[in-house]
Each structure stands twice: as structure tokens, then as C-alpha cells.
Amino acid sequence: MNVHPMHPFLARAASAAAGVAAAVPADHPPTAPTPCADFDTRALVNHWVLYTSHGLEHRALRTELPPELSARDFTADAEWRPAYAAQLERAVAAWSDPAVWEGDVDLGGSPVPAVGIARMLILELLLHGWDVARAVGVEIPVDEELAAVVLEIVAENAELYRQYEGFAEPVALPEGASVWDRALAASGRDPHWKA
């Protein structure tokens, strides 16, 4: 079966996110700060796990997220890391059918093209993946090609995201900054942020 051209990027983003999750130390303080000022580490991980794995699958299936998932503290389960990786695999598999990329996905009464949803979820996987990685002191593996896709999606959506406070104002960078740093900065993230 031929997959949609964006599917390999989605799969690579999911793999990078699973790698970050696997590297989160078991003893990392759940209330430690993150680059997302509104989220401590536990809140950020819970948001990231919910929307990038369960949400990713439910968007493909055109089904609502069950309320019990939205209320769950995933970090309370010692096995949340492999559970997240397994759920990511299911979600990526759900998007492997080219038909899933056709038509719209209902976002609370607003139809959004499925391709646009998948592209936004690549951002969630990698930008929040970077947030988690930076909060716990690990790296997220994003190659130049994937970074270029992220930069393109950020540029497409930045104005809208800023209206809804999803992105902060862009961060100034020196000449010669990497594509990945430029993507982070365009989304309002300081690539040099440290806890």
C-alpha cells in the first residue's frame, strides 16, 4: 500500500518522541520547570502523551478522545514510557492508510483538513518533545530534513497559533543558526533554554 508522502515524517517524529520519553529519568521531579511556562514536567508530559499518541490515533479514526483519557495522569504509571511508545506505534499505523489523509477531521465543530491535522501533530510531537527533552536534560534527535518540515509547518501556522497563545513571539537568533534552532525560535522557543 502506498502511504501519504507526509506519513514517513509523522513516523520519524513519533520515533523521536518515543526516544525522548524513554530517556526521561524515573527520578525527575514532576514539578520541575519546562520551557512551557504554564506546564511543569508532569503537566507537559501528560499533555504530550495525550495529544500526540491517543489524540493522534483518535484523529485518524475520526473518534472523540474518551474523557477518562483526558483526566488521566499518565506519569503516575511507572510503565508510561513503553506504553507511550506502543500507543505511538498504533497511532502511526492508523495514519498509514492513505484514505485517512483525505477529507476533514472535526475539531470541536470546526472541520480541518486531515493533512493539516497530521502536520500540526508533527509539531506537537517534536516541539513538545523538545520541551520535554530540554526539561529533563536530554536531546531529541531531529535530522535536517525533518527540521525543515517542522520549520515549514511552524511558518504556516505561527500567526494562528500566536492568536491562541500556542506560540510565543519569535526568538532572535544569530546568523548561521541551524534549521532546527530556527524552527524552535519561530515557534517562540529559546533553543538555549535550560532548566
Side-chain angles (χ1 to χ4, degrees):
M1 170 170 53
N2 290 328
V3 296
H4 189 277
M6 285 302 297
H7 187 267
F9 293 108
L10 182 65
R12 283 157 61 186
S15 176
V20 169
V24 173
D27 61 353
H28 187 78
T31 57
T34 74
C36 302
D38 295 339
F39 288 148
D40 63 14
T41 301
R42 175 173 37 223
L44 174 60
V45 168
N46 280 325
H47 173 87
W48 184 52
V49 169
L50 176 66
Y51 290 105
T52 64
S53 62
H54 298 282
L56 183 62
E57 183 181 29
H58 281 274
R59 297 294 183 229
L61 300 175
R62 308 315 202 254
T63 54
E64 292 292 320
L65 271 171
E68 63 271 17
L69 276 180
S70 300
R72 183 182 298 173
D73 177 5
F74 296 98
T75 66
D77 178 0
E79 296 301 308
W80 74 264
R81 297 161 189 80
Y84 176 54
Q87 179 57 38
L88 280 171
E89 285 187 17
R90 285 190 290 275
V92 169
W95 283 90
S96 65
D97 180 353
V100 169
W101 296 76
E102 301 296 326
D104 294 334
V105 175
D106 179 36
L107 274 192
S110 300
V112 178
V115 172
I117 291 289
R119 288 169 70 84
M120 285 190 284
L121 284 162
I122 288 172
L123 287 192
E124 287 279 309
L125 282 158
L126 293 175
L127 294 180
H128 278 324
W130 177 86
D131 295 330
V132 173
R134 190 49 58 104
V136 303
V138 301
E139 296 296 324
I140 183 168
V142 179
D143 62 60
E144 188 104 351
E145 186 183 30
L146 191 51
V149 169
V150 174
L151 180 58
E152 177 185 297
I153 301 169
V154 168
E156 285 171 5
N157 293 283
E159 191 175 321
L160 177 66
Y161 277 38
R162 285 194 184 94
Q163 285 177 16
Y164 294 96
E165 300 182 359
F167 285 170
E169 289 304 308
V171 174
L173 289 179
E175 287 291 322
S178 71
V179 175
W180 178 233
D181 280 359
R182 284 163 44 210
L184 292 169
S187 76
R189 288 163 168 82
D190 177 359
H192 305 294
W193 186 94
K194 284 186 170 52

